[in-house]
Amino acid sequence: MTALLRVDRLHAGYGKVEVLHGVSLVVPEGCMVAIVGPNGAGKTTLLSAIMGLLPRIGGHVLYCDEPAGSTEALVASGAVLVPERRALFADMSVEDNLLLGAYTRRRAGNRDTSASMRDVFTTFPRLEERRRQLAGTLSGGERQMLALGRALMARPRLLLLDEPSLGLAPMIVRAIFRVLADLRASGLSILLVEQNVRAALQVSDYGYVLEMGAIVTEGRSSDLANDARVIATYLGARR
Amino acid sequence: MQDGITTGAIYLLLAIGLLIVFSVTRVIFVPQGDLLAFGTLTAATLQSGQIPGTLWLLDGVSALALLISWHRAPLRTALTWGVYPFVLTMATLLLARFEHPAMSILLALAIVTPMGPLIWRFAFRPVADASVLALLIIAMALHFVLAGVGLVFFGPEEARAPAITESNFELGQLNVSGQSLCVLASCIILVAALRWFFGATIYGKALRATASDRLGARLVGIDAAATGALAFALASFIAALAGVLIGAVTPLSYDAGFDIGLKGFVAAIMGGLASFPLAAAGAVLVGVLESLGSFWASAYRDVIVFTLLIPVLAWLSLRAGSGEERA
Ligand SMILES: Nc1ncnc2c1ncn2[C@@H]1O[C@H](COP(=O)(O)OP(=O)(O)OP(=O)(O)O)[C@@H](O)[C@H]1O
Ligand SMILES: [Mg+2]
């Protein structure tokens, strides 16, 4: 299987403070890869550096076998991030948020994005009911649906998700994870960052454990879920 | 009163320009007033059959932009900063001697509008992530530079832009000047056009998205450099338009723009630097108060206008203190 995203000994941080100390990982085409780890491990930093939101101090990020460029260039070539704080356009309607998700496609001359909009509404019927409502007035679950929907409007090849279950009710978390599993089944590649380790290892193919800015363990998700150390640190407490 | 509404409409235009630039780029566009004066004086110079210095300024700075942006997007750069100034220069050289009012106005708009994007390109884009205060300091510095340039090109005298119409109407007991009506009509048309642009086009929505959430805008692939250029283009077009409109009612000198821009700023602040309808109400209020003020206390008219700011600022800072929900 070919690698869609390859991160090689990546160093990144904020100003002089280095947070990532040489992180390597691979997202093969059509796979869902999970990154788990404690608060402050550098998961968000890793996604930001991959997307070019933070300067990459050392190492390489290859997307489609080419060095990753600016955020805009990555988005235009199908690598789309749903950030931890969703970053919706709060004072714009749900429909406009979705429309702007397809911004790069519109710019590339593709004027008809209504088919993608229909797909998003089929996946999240709630968004269709709320299409004229301002994004800022949505509930937490609806906001996450809109953030995902907006990302899907770009017709991504690689979806990067930063804690999609953060702050959501268990029922909505289950619904979101079901959608992720469906997307994965339809051939989309996904890089998933999650604190909900159990759920993340259940839906993903492969997992990495990130601690203090370095990968400490990796393996097939089913193996990681049975790894004694992972169970003790991340799964034990929740039983 | 009639004057109050006319100048109020001009303040409204400037307030809108300031709001667009600030919400998209966080720059408080102080030199907008200078571009307004450029608009008046460029039109006035063309109307007297001469070639305005602003044209050569535009050519020079465009050439610089052409040089440094060439390697990135050759075709677009060549069109914007090569072909456009060239055609405009040729057109101006050919048409200036006809001294036709509408022609002078259109050429002035075409000369001043690209200065906004050029200012963005050279002064603000390289430091786009700086603090609002740092950006404001740059904007202030630019104001002094542009005012100096204005003095060199146009001299210290006041000049009048060509009027679109010289006619006058009797409206009951009022004597309404055609130019005042033109100012109002242009203002209404522009506001309607902007409403359509921001409400219905993908580029307008991209600007609103940038204003709403910077990170979100980057993550859907909106290019911050391009939205910034567009915001500045809108603002400088608005400034140039305001300049040719008000310049036909009151003659202006190279340094008159700053005061007018400041009043637009007061109106924008009244709208909380965020709300267009509130800024509109503020602009008309400033215009009317100022003309009433000049009627019975002309020495104090600026004092009256700026005193208005105090309650508004107090209210704004109270509100900001109580609700810091958007970090
Ligand atoms: N903007 C910032 N400036 C400086 N340091 C930061 C910044 N953001 C994060 N850090 C630091 O970088 C480290 C990693 O943070 P990061 O947000 O990447 O962790 P995370 O794994 O995503 O954590 P969480 O599970 O809480 O989201 C932390 O020590 C944090 O204090
Ligand atoms: Mg995080």
Side-chain angles (χ1 to χ4, degrees):
Chain A
M1 238 182 291
T2 53
L4 183 59
L5 178 75
R6 185 182 294 276
V7 177
D8 187 24
R9 283 161 295 165
L10 181 67
H11 292 254
Y14 304 89
K16 288 210 167 61
V17 186
E18 190 178 283
V19 172
L20 299 180
H21 316 289
V23 172
S24 301
L25 62 85
V26 172
V27 180
E29 182 100 57
C31 285
M32 180 170 344
V33 172
I35 301 173
V36 299
N39 285 104
K43 305 181 297 292
T44 299
T45 309
L46 175 60
L47 292 184
S48 305
I50 291 173
M51 285 304 292
L53 294 167
L54 280 177
R56 309 165 186 122
I57 302 170
H60 305 279
V61 176
L62 294 178
Y63 174 70
C64 298
D65 293 322
E66 302 204 358
S70 69
T71 310
E72 290 82 14
L74 278 168
V75 174
S77 54
V80 181
L81 168 69
V82 178
E84 202 167 353
R85 65 165 189 83
R86 320 312 190 215
L88 297 174
F89 308 124
D91 48 8
M92 300 178 77
S93 69
V94 166
E95 200 167 19
D96 280 348
N97 270 268
L98 291 174
L99 206 70
L100 283 161
Y103 181 77
T104 52
R105 288 169 61 206
R106 291 281 289 252
R107 288 225 48 191
N110 185 341
R111 297 197 62 79
D112 189 25
T113 47
S114 53
S116 321
M117 185 97 70
R118 263 198 309 282
D119 290 349
V120 170
F121 286 153
T122 313
T123 314
F124 302 113
R126 274 287 263 292
L127 294 181
E128 182 156 30
E129 293 164 26
R130 304 251 188 269
R131 64 194 290 174
R132 305 237 175 274
Q133 210 168 308
L134 295 186
T137 65
L138 298 180
S139 73
E142 290 163 349
R143 285 158 52 82
Q144 181 56 53
M145 291 176 195
L146 181 54
L148 259 172
R150 186 178 72 180
L152 292 174
M153 288 296 291
R155 288 266 148 105
R157 281 184 73 182
L158 172 67
L159 199 55
L160 302 100
L161 303 170
D162 198 348
E163 312 217 12
S165 74
L166 188 73
L168 301 185
M171 211 175 72
I172 298 174
V173 172
R174 274 197 296 281
I176 296 277
F177 272 98
R178 211 171 306 126
V179 169
L180 296 188
D182 288 349
L183 289 171
R184 150 79 179 73
S186 73
L188 186 63
S189 313
I190 299 177
L191 180 57
L192 170 70
V193 161
E194 256 300 339
Q195 296 228 17
N196 189 339
V197 177
R198 187 184 307 276
L201 291 181
Q202 232 160 47
V203 290
S204 60
D205 303 288
Y206 200 84
Y208 293 85
V209 180
L210 185 73
E211 286 175 10
M212 316 252 302
I215 301 286
V216 291
T217 321
E218 61 171 277
R220 302 234 321 257
S221 298
S222 49
D223 297 344
L224 278 185
N226 294 316
D227 182 286
R229 216 180 79 80
V230 173
I231 291 176
T233 326
Y234 299 105
L235 299 175
R238 295 187 197 207
R239 257 188 228 280
Chain B
M1 190 66 189
Q2 185 197 331
D3 268 5
I5 291 174
T6 315
T7 44
I10 296 295
Y11 297 155
L12 170 63
L13 291 183
L14 293 177
I16 291 174
L18 283 168
L19 288 178
I20 293 173
V21 168
F22 181 75
S23 58
V24 173
T25 66
R26 298 176 307 124
V27 171
I28 296 176
F29 194 24
V30 185
Q32 197 190 17
D34 302 295
L35 293 183
L36 178 146
F38 277 15
T40 306
L41 298 170
T42 302
T45 309
L46 286 165
Q47 188 58 25
S48 66
Q50 289 165 308
I51 304 300
T54 37
L55 179 65
W56 308 128
L57 178 69
L58 176 66
D59 286 345
V61 185
S62 296
L64 213 57
L66 189 62
L67 271 180
I68 63 171
S69 304
W70 179 259
H71 62 279
R72 281 209 208 153
L75 186 67
R76 233 192 35 216
T77 307
L79 279 178
T80 331
W81 303 127
V83 176
Y84 177 83
F86 180 77
V87 171
L88 182 61
T89 307
M90 288 302 130
T92 309
L93 291 176
L94 275 175
L95 298 173
R97 63 191 138 99
F98 295 111
E99 299 176 20
H100 187 282
M103 201 90 82
S104 304
I105 289 171
L106 289 180
L107 284 174
L109 292 178
I111 291 171
V112 179
T113 302
M115 293 187 180
L118 283 171
I119 288 175
W120 160 250
R121 177 69 189 81
F122 286 106
F124 294 111
R125 205 178 101 184
V127 291
D129 290 327
S131 68
V132 172
L133 184 63
L135 294 172
L136 174 62
I137 292 169
I138 299 175
M140 279 309 291
L142 264 173
H143 152 63
F144 289 114
V145 171
L146 287 186
V149 167
L151 178 61
V152 171
F153 285 154
F154 301 111
E157 303 83 22
E158 291 186 336
R160 195 183 271 277
I164 299 171
T165 165
E166 302 284 357
S167 54
N168 274 294
F169 306 88
E170 297 287 335
L171 212 83
Q173 302 202 314
L174 278 177
N175 187 8
V176 183
S177 86
Q179 182 68 21
S180 294
L181 287 182
C182 280
V183 174
L184 281 184
S186 311
C187 191
I188 290 167
I189 292 170
L190 190 81
V191 169
L194 287 174
R195 268 193 82 99
W196 171 79
F197 174 72
F198 284 112
T201 70
I202 188 78
Y203 293 104
K205 285 177 183 176
L207 284 185
R208 279 167 62 204
T210 311
S212 171
D213 194 302
R214 225 158 271 284
L215 174 66
R218 286 193 75 183
L219 291 178
V220 299
I222 293 171
D223 176 6
T227 47
L230 184 53
F232 272 85
L234 286 172
S236 56
F237 172 75
I238 288 172
L241 182 69
V244 297
L245 288 174
I246 196 70
V249 178
T250 349
L252 297 180
S253 61
Y254 76 98
D255 60 351
F258 184 69
D259 262 16
I260 303 177
L262 211 51
K263 306 268 170 59
F265 181 66
V266 173
I269 291 283
M270 287 185 177
L273 275 179
S275 155
F276 289 83
L278 279 180
V284 175
L285 187 64
V286 171
V288 170
L289 262 179
E290 191 188 36
S291 71
L292 290 181
S294 59
F295 195 66
W296 35 257
S298 61
Y300 292 108
R301 61 174 227 194
D302 286 351
V303 179
I304 292 171
V305 168
F306 290 117
T307 309
L308 266 181
L309 266 181
I310 296 172
V312 178
L313 286 176
W315 178 70
L316 277 179
S317 58
L318 273 180
R319 204 183 51 166
S322 63
E324 286 280 57
E325 72 275 300
R326 292 186 67 194

